[in-house]
Amino acid sequence: MEGMDVDLDPELMQKFSCLGTTDKDVLISEFQRLLGFQLNPAGCAFFLDMTNWNLQAAIGAYYDFESPNISVPSMSFVEDVTIGEGESIPPDTQFIKTWRIQNSGAEAWPPGVCLKYVGGDQFGHVNMVMVRSLEPQEIADVSVQMCSPSRAGMYQGQWRMCTATGLYYGDVIWVILSVEVGGLLGVTQQLSSFETEFNTQPHRKVIKQYLPYSAEGLHGPYPFGQS
């Protein structure tokens, strides 16, 4: 394509010519996959529609018209904070998946960015969480409330950062989940939550749980637990 700055792999072009499908959903899915989830389905449909649903032409149009005008943010995956290697969870159990990510670029992220589910197993109904704009090199934790599948087995899902305009960026981050009947992850998260709540309570309130009356109650009609 004239004016196109990106050289596409001939092997990739061969895959285009062999695709041979007119199913729009398939074309959108393939277009998104070939771009490495750099564009959401609506954006893919836009470029496909403007090129009469020709996949090769749509890819060319994307690079020709979009790339020179896009300043893509940077994001690097740092580590799994929860659901690490070797951890398992019982079936049908609520849990919180937390990733640690970093703005690995030289510019702050634009406002309105979010983390979106892009493929594999979703683990519940949440498919997007808003993320604050990180400054260059800043690190932050991002959490999603999830629920394990009802059947034991290994499961995985993929999530990516996305701008308010629908541009995906940065590393693909994964949820890799081992569901086992005897899994302890849900229990350990609940215990951790209980411990945090317990430790934030003033000491005097903890003591009152073991006294039939407060100090004032020894001389008056105060009920249990009141001061």
Side-chain angles (χ1 to χ4, degrees), residues 2 28 47 53 57 62 68 91 95 106 118 133 137 139 142 151 153 155 157 165-166 175 177-178 180 188 227:
E2 184 178 354
I28 289 172
F47 284 102
W53 296 88
Y62 170 78
F95 66 96
V118 295
S133 293
Q137 305 307 310
I139 294 174
V142 181
R151 303 181 65 175
Y155 299 86
T165 58
V175 190
L177 193 63
S178 174
E180 301 175 10
T188 57
S227 57

Side-chain angles (χ1 to χ4, degrees), residues 64-183:
D64 214 13
F65 298 114
E66 289 292 311
S67 293
N69 303 316
I70 291 177
S71 176
V72 182
S74 297
M75 185 279 284
S76 295
F77 167 75
V78 178
E79 62 180 340
D80 290 302
V81 179
T82 63
I83 323 296
E85 184 178 356
E87 292 182 290
S88 61
I89 188 167
D92 289 319
T93 300
Q94 298 284 333
F95 66 96
I96 297 173
K97 170 62 187 177
T98 302
W99 301 272
R100 186 159 292 154
I101 61 175
Q102 180 179 28
N103 176 355
S104 51
E107 298 180 5
W109 289 351
V113 298
C114 63
L115 182 66
K116 280 189 175 183
Y117 161 77
V118 295
D121 300 295
Q122 189 171 342
F123 308 117
H125 301 294
V126 178
N127 61 9
M128 179 191 73
V129 291
M130 299 304 296
V131 179
R132 65 183 178 86
S133 293
L134 300 185
E135 295 298 321
Q137 305 307 310
E138 184 179 0
I139 294 174
D141 290 354
V142 181
S143 298
V144 178
Q145 180 73 47
M146 296 184 175
C147 184
S148 62
S150 58
R151 303 181 65 175
M154 291 294 298
Y155 299 86
Q156 61 184 27
Q158 301 92 49
W159 294 66
R160 285 200 78 182
M161 290 298 300
C162 186
T163 67
T165 58
L167 178 68
Y168 289 101
Y169 67 94
D171 294 341
V172 176
I173 56 179
W174 294 73
V175 190
I176 300 177
L177 193 63
S178 174
V179 177
E180 301 175 10
V181 174

Side-chain angles (χ1 to χ4, degrees), residues 19-56:
L19 189 58
T21 181
T22 57
D23 186 301
K24 292 184 177 181
D25 289 337
V26 172
L27 287 168
I28 289 172
S29 177
E30 185 68 7
F31 185 72
Q32 189 177 31
R33 187 185 68 80
L34 288 168
L35 290 180
F37 296 102
Q38 289 291 335
L39 201 61
N40 63 18
C44 295
F46 170 79
F47 284 102
L48 284 162
D49 188 60
M50 72 179 288
T51 56
N52 198 29
W53 296 88
N54 181 301
L55 186 57
Q56 180 176 345

